[in-house]
Amino acid sequence: MEKAVEKVLRGFTTAMDLPPDVLLDMPRVHMVGNLEVVVDNHKGLRQYTSLEIRVRIKGGVLIVCGKKLRIAFLTKDDLKITGRIGNVEFFAE
Amino acid sequence: MIQAVWAWLTGYVIVKFRGPEIELLLNRMIESGMTAWGVERIISDIIVARLSVRSFHQLRPMLWGLRVNVSIVGRVGLPFAISKLRRRQFLWIGMVLFVIGLQYLSGFIWFIQIEGNEFVSNEEIFAIVLGEGLHVGLPKKDFSARKVEIALLTELDDIVWAGINLKGSLVKIQVVERSTPDQERLKSGMLVAARDALVTQVLAFRGTPQVQVGATVHKGEPLILGTYYDIYGRRQEGRAEGVVLARVWYEGIGEAAYNKITQQRTGNTHIGYVIEFRERQVAFNQDVPFTLYQVEKNPIFHRVGGYHTPIKMIRHIYHELVYETMVISRDEAKETALARAWDHLKAERVSQDKVLESQIEEFTIEDQHGIRVELLVEVEEDIAEFKPTPEL
């Protein structure tokens, strides 16, 4: 049932050319070079070390790897990671 | 930036979280609407984060059921700074005394600056203002700018205007000097040869040329007379002006011995200090243990911003010296002698760039064990020299 609703919403956003993060509760990820990553609409932290940060998002986990990783700010909706970003991966669950 | 300023104004705490479930605590915190910033993992089970004071007070119920210890490692911001200052009464007393002291000292003149003088020296102006009682350390209430201005105008004939401004503890003396037409430029006369020479070019701007290109002239011989005829054909006596280029020969002699005595530092030094306050000097550690030495003076404290301080501290470094005699080659001696010959010519204002031809002759000085170099150079230069008409 949930998947069917999501499918309808996805079709609706595509048809209406709406941003998917608004209706589908998807995360929005911004990167500034390899210096910072900002994740909007996250679901909390799963793991934090200075080499790897796992962020829960809808439908999976966002993994940010790098060196000297630091969480510049952390709020209910936004999360900003700074440091020397190596790679950003998305794992579906 | 604005957030950082706001956080500082409202105050925040740096909190250390210790335990294996810190991420869960952070999730609980953000779920309840808190904001954490500067989150940093120090070691595997310690995370440091910054929280507002209000958020920190809301933290206790969230810790329930979690294996996390929380402690404050720092308090930052204006509210904490104020509460710290309240406890330090002597600091307040010190600050009040500092302000009172500053207020008291600002009632004196500490700097005097002179501007606008070119021909009248600073010393002359200082002597007059000192005579009127203006000096460093004078209370401002005893200072009369008008009195000093009048003294400057009456005692220095070359000054036509003087203005004195007091700004803080700085007295700025501005003067305007008398500008008179150059009396020399008003005299009539002719141009004569400054040296014996062979004329190569004559350009008379005013007056009557007396020599032609190719002529040999001797020192003092007239080159351009001041006599000219005006537009009405009347004979006038004026000031001759023009350029007379000529080839001139100069001779420079330089000598050098086959050995030279040089001063060498032994590496031994002695340091002394001198404190100067106006004309008074107090010296410390000035008993120099060397017979032959060189002094290097380094001012340590003499300026604040762009102004000289009334008290100066100077470090004197005495370097011990010894004389050493070194034997040098003939070529090296010749080079030194030639350099001295050039110095000799430079003293006669001969520029090395303007030399057309040069000739070098060298002689050995047997009795003094050295070398003599005679340098003959040919240059082209303006030999015209103004000679005023004798006054009757």
Side-chain angles (χ1 to χ4, degrees):
Chain A
M1 180 63 186
E2 210 172 281
K3 278 188 178 177
V5 172
E6 192 183 321
K7 202 173 175 183
V8 171
L9 281 173
R10 194 172 290 182
F12 179 70
T13 52
T14 312
M16 300 300 287
D17 202 18
L18 291 167
D21 57 315
V22 178
L23 283 176
L24 297 173
D25 198 23
M26 287 291 186
R28 181 189 283 264
V29 182
H30 312 261
M31 279 189 77
V32 180
N34 66 339
L35 300 175
E36 63 179 56
V37 175
V38 179
V39 185
D40 292 345
N41 212 6
H42 66 91
K43 303 290 177 195
L45 275 177
R46 174 163 282 185
Q47 192 194 2
Y48 168 39
T49 68
S50 60
L51 298 174
E52 185 181 280
I53 298 177
R54 289 172 181 251
V55 184
R56 285 194 289 133
I57 52 174
K58 189 186 178 186
V61 178
L62 187 78
I63 303 173
V64 179
C65 297
K67 285 179 181 172
K68 295 181 181 174
L69 297 181
R70 191 169 181 267
I71 299 172
F73 65 79
L74 176 64
T75 66
K76 190 178 179 183
D77 299 318
D78 306 329
L79 164 68
K80 181 176 172 184
I81 299 166
T82 58
R84 285 164 62 191
I85 312 295
N87 62 311
V88 179
E89 291 176 62
F90 176 80
F91 271 94
E93 283 183 343
Chain B
M1 178 67 188
I2 292 168
Q3 282 175 338
V5 173
W6 180 248
W8 188 85
L9 287 172
T10 53
Y12 62 90
V13 286
I14 302 170
V15 181
K16 184 175 82 176
F17 300 104
R18 184 176 201 140
E21 293 172 324
I22 302 170
E23 286 88 348
L24 288 175
L25 176 64
L26 288 172
N27 286 339
R28 282 187 189 179
M29 283 162 56
I30 59 174
E31 277 300 318
S32 65
M34 286 186 193
T35 300
W37 68 96
V39 183
E40 206 167 343
R41 188 173 280 280
I42 308 300
I43 53 172
S44 63
D45 65 340
I46 293 180
I47 283 180
V48 167
R50 282 137 184 91
L51 299 175
S52 65
V53 178
R54 195 175 168 187
S55 298
F56 180 76
H57 288 306
Q58 293 171 350
L59 208 58
R60 187 177 286 272
M62 292 174 202
L63 291 167
W64 199 84
L66 291 178
R67 287 176 294 157
V68 178
N69 288 326
V70 179
S71 59
I72 293 175
V73 290
R75 294 169 177 84
V76 185
L78 189 62
F80 297 113
I82 289 170
S83 67
K84 196 183 273 184
L85 282 174
R86 273 185 189 160
R87 290 197 297 271
R88 301 176 70 177
Q89 289 179 350
F90 278 100
L91 184 70
W92 283 106
I93 294 167
M95 281 170 74
V96 170
L97 288 176
F98 173 75
V99 171
I100 291 169
L102 201 65
Q103 179 66 27
Y104 175 72
L105 290 174
S106 65
F108 293 87
I109 290 162
W110 294 113
F111 304 102
I112 299 172
Q113 190 182 344
I114 299 172
E115 281 180 1
N117 56 322
E118 195 179 338
F119 301 108
V120 181
S121 69
N122 283 355
E123 287 73 24
E124 280 179 85
I125 295 171
F126 268 125
I128 290 164
V129 299
L130 202 64
E132 291 302 315
L134 173 59
H135 58 84
V136 172
L138 178 76
K140 279 196 227 173
K141 61 181 173 57
D142 299 340
F143 166 65
S144 164
R146 188 77 192 128
K147 210 170 108 185
V148 180
E149 280 170 4
I150 290 167
L152 284 171
L153 290 171
T154 51
E155 292 185 37
L156 290 172
D157 293 336
D158 292 334
I159 287 178
V160 290
W161 181 84
I164 295 176
N165 289 314
L166 178 64
K167 200 174 179 184
S169 58
L170 166 72
V171 170
K172 198 179 268 188
I173 302 171
Q174 288 173 302
V175 295
V176 176
E177 292 174 341
R178 191 183 303 281
S179 62
T180 51
D182 188 356
Q183 294 301 317
E184 284 297 312
R185 301 282 305 164
L186 301 176
K187 285 182 181 172
S188 65
M190 60 179 155
L191 294 177
V192 296
R195 301 185 64 88
D196 294 350
L198 176 69
V199 176
T200 55
Q201 201 175 354
V202 181
L203 290 169
F205 303 141
R206 185 193 288 157
T208 313
Q210 296 298 296
V211 288
Q212 288 183 332
V213 173
T216 307
V217 291
H218 297 286
K219 186 178 178 182
E221 205 171 299
L223 300 174
I224 300 171
L225 291 178
T227 310
Y228 67 97
Y229 293 90
D230 63 15
I231 52 170
Y232 304 108
R234 292 176 301 198
R235 182 189 161 98
Q236 299 284 351
E237 283 296 330
R239 181 188 174 89
E241 283 180 14
V243 174
V244 179
L245 291 179
R247 284 178 173 251
V248 187
W249 291 268
Y250 289 92
E251 189 180 39
I253 295 171
E255 291 180 353
Y258 290 140
N259 53 43
K260 65 177 178 185
I261 298 165
T262 56
Q263 283 184 344
Q264 296 286 337
R265 288 184 181 180
T266 62
N268 296 330
T269 54
H270 172 81
I271 294 175
Y273 294 91
V274 171
I275 294 173
E276 284 183 10
F277 176 67
R278 291 164 71 178
E279 291 86 27
R280 297 188 189 94
Q281 282 192 345
V282 183
F284 300 97
N285 203 18
Q286 296 289 342
D287 299 327
V288 186
F290 317 128
T291 48
L292 191 66
Y293 55 82
Q294 193 175 34
V295 190
E296 186 185 330
K297 294 178 181 177
N298 295 330
I300 300 170
F301 175 76
H302 68 300
R303 287 174 87 94
V304 174
Y307 302 107
H308 289 278
T309 54
I311 299 174
K312 294 174 188 168
M313 189 170 183
I314 302 161
R315 179 168 55 201
H316 289 189
I317 304 172
Y318 298 91
H319 298 276
E320 191 185 20
L321 298 175
V322 287
Y323 285 121
E324 282 186 2
T325 307
M326 287 170 61
V327 176
I328 57 170
S329 66
R330 184 185 165 83
D331 287 344
E332 209 175 335
K334 185 184 164 187
E335 210 172 291
T336 308
L338 191 60
R340 284 174 184 164
W342 273 116
D343 289 344
H344 186 226
L345 290 178
K346 278 174 193 164
E348 290 188 61
R349 296 183 181 177
V350 178
S351 170
Q352 211 161 339
D353 306 332
K354 290 182 180 171
V355 173
L356 302 172
E357 277 178 41
S358 65
Q359 194 180 331
I360 300 167
E361 279 187 62
E362 55 185 86
F363 307 95
T364 305
I365 314 169
E366 295 294 342
D367 55 336
Q368 291 176 10
H369 195 58
I371 189 169
R372 172 183 292 163
V373 168
E374 286 183 8
L375 176 65
L376 189 70
V377 296
E378 186 183 322
V379 295
E380 190 177 46
E381 63 181 23
D382 183 11
I383 56 162
E385 186 180 63
F386 181 72
K387 185 182 175 187
T389 307
E391 287 176 22
L392 298 172

